Amino acid sequence: MRSHHYHNKSKSLCRSKKEKKCQDIIICKKKVVQVTCPPQNIIVKVLKGPTGANGVAGVAGATGATGSTPTTFTKAILFGGANTGFQRVSGSPGALSQTIPFVDAANGNIVGFSGSINTNNLPVGSYLYQICFDVINNAVTPLVNNIISTITLMTTAVITGTIIFSIRPSDIGSQPVRVSNNAPYVLAPATVTWTSNIVGDPVIRNDAISLFLNMNVTQSAVYSVFISSDI
């Protein structure tokens, strides 16, 4: 089979009549046929077509193993505001928290404290919130050995409005306090700090938890003591 039998679009590449070999290249629609002489040596080159569409995505891999179940949980104990002295557990019939304390049902740690206070002309001063355990039921103040943690709210100017703050034992240094007085919340002239009177701020099952305040702030307040334990 010679090259002139393929297609009418051919080009002879024979360089001279004396050469024993020659090449013809025949260009078809999708093929380039390169023919060498003598006819038994034929090389066919095929042009590469366009890339096909991507195949469908493979199936998702197996789901990984389930992580371990947490062993500790955090809950908030709410205390309602009272005058100077022990604050009351929210929901109590009016007795203060040394008389009707919160009873812890598992071993754990105190991990946070927050306050929401609405007050008018709160004087400059250091207000100490002491989280206590096993205070005598008719005590006026807690013994030093009863105090687990002390939170200090320090004001540097008279404050009116709603004061909010939060603090954790892991916080380093004093934390900001905010206030709203007929306007959006802004930084208040106050700070709050945490002191661990007992290292680790621990609580034990059946501890009687109460909250003591050294100076009057207001009865219009709610305080939260956060305890992390195994239930």
Side-chain angles (χ1 to χ4, degrees), residues 86-100:
F86 288 97
Q87 310 297 288
R88 59 176 53 86
V89 177
S90 295
S92 73
L96 302 178
S97 58
Q98 84 279 32
T99 302
I100 300 183

Side-chain angles (χ1 to χ4, degrees), residues 127-187:
Y127 299 89
L128 306 181
Y129 295 91
Q130 296 173 326
I131 303 171
C132 309
F133 75 102
D134 291 355
V135 174
I136 297 172
N137 70 324
N138 61 355
V140 176
T141 59
L143 299 175
V144 173
N145 293 337
N146 295 133
I147 303 171
I148 304 172
S149 313
T150 298
I151 292 84
T152 302
L153 173 65
M154 180 176 291
T155 62
T156 57
V158 175
I159 302 176
T160 294
T162 297
I163 303 168
I164 59 173
F165 62 87
S166 67
I167 185 75
R168 296 180 291 181
S170 58
D171 288 334
I172 299 175
S174 59
Q175 301 301 306
V177 176
R178 296 196 296 154
V179 63
S180 172
N181 186 19
N182 296 317
Y185 280 96
V186 296
L187 288 177

Side-chain angles (χ1 to χ4, degrees), residues 6 11 45 69 87 102 111 114 119 144 159 165 194 215 218 226:
Y6 275 88
K11 180 179 180 182
K45 292 183 179 180
T69 302
Q87 310 297 288
F102 172 85
V111 295
S114 66
T119 185
V144 173
I159 302 176
F165 62 87
W194 185 289
M215 293 195 304
T218 179
F226 296 89

Side-chain angles (χ1 to χ4, degrees), residues 14-221:
C14 295
R15 290 183 291 277
S16 68
K17 294 181 179 180
K18 294 182 180 181
E19 290 180 341
K20 295 182 179 180
K21 295 181 181 181
C22 67
Q23 289 185 333
D24 284 348
I25 296 177
I26 302 168
I27 302 175
C28 298
K29 290 182 180 179
K30 292 186 178 180
K31 294 183 179 181
V32 174
V33 179
Q34 178 177 331
V35 181
T36 61
C37 302
Q40 65 267 23
N41 297 325
I42 299 176
I43 300 173
V44 178
K45 292 183 179 180
V46 180
L47 292 175
K48 185 177 180 181
T51 302
N54 291 333
V56 297
V59 297
T63 302
T66 302
S68 58
T69 302
T71 58
T72 59
F73 306 89
T74 301
K75 62 198 69 69
I77 310 167
L78 300 181
F79 290 87
N83 293 321
T84 303
F86 288 97
Q87 310 297 288
R88 59 176 53 86
V89 177
S90 295
S92 73
L96 302 178
S97 58
Q98 84 279 32
T99 302
I100 300 183
F102 172 85
V103 182
D104 186 48
N107 296 345
N109 306 85
I110 298 169
V111 295
F113 182 84
S114 66
S116 178
I117 305 164
N118 182 259
T119 185
N120 186 32
N121 295 324
L122 181 65
V124 174
S126 293
Y127 299 89
L128 306 181
Y129 295 91
Q130 296 173 326
I131 303 171
C132 309
F133 75 102
D134 291 355
V135 174
I136 297 172
N137 70 324
N138 61 355
V140 176
T141 59
L143 299 175
V144 173
N145 293 337
N146 295 133
I147 303 171
I148 304 172
S149 313
T150 298
I151 292 84
T152 302
L153 173 65
M154 180 176 291
T155 62
T156 57
V158 175
I159 302 176
T160 294
T162 297
I163 303 168
I164 59 173
F165 62 87
S166 67
I167 185 75
R168 296 180 291 181
S170 58
D171 288 334
I172 299 175
S174 59
Q175 301 301 306
V177 176
R178 296 196 296 154
V179 63
S180 172
N181 186 19
N182 296 317
Y185 280 96
V186 296
L187 288 177
T191 57
V192 60
T193 56
W194 185 289
T195 301
S196 298
N197 298 82
I198 301 177
V199 177
D201 308 279
V203 294
I204 299 173
R205 182 176 180 178
N206 290 327
D207 274 350
I209 305 299
S210 57
L211 179 65
F212 180 84
L213 174 60
N214 73 322
M215 293 195 304
N216 183 45
V217 173
T218 179
Q219 293 189 38
S220 181

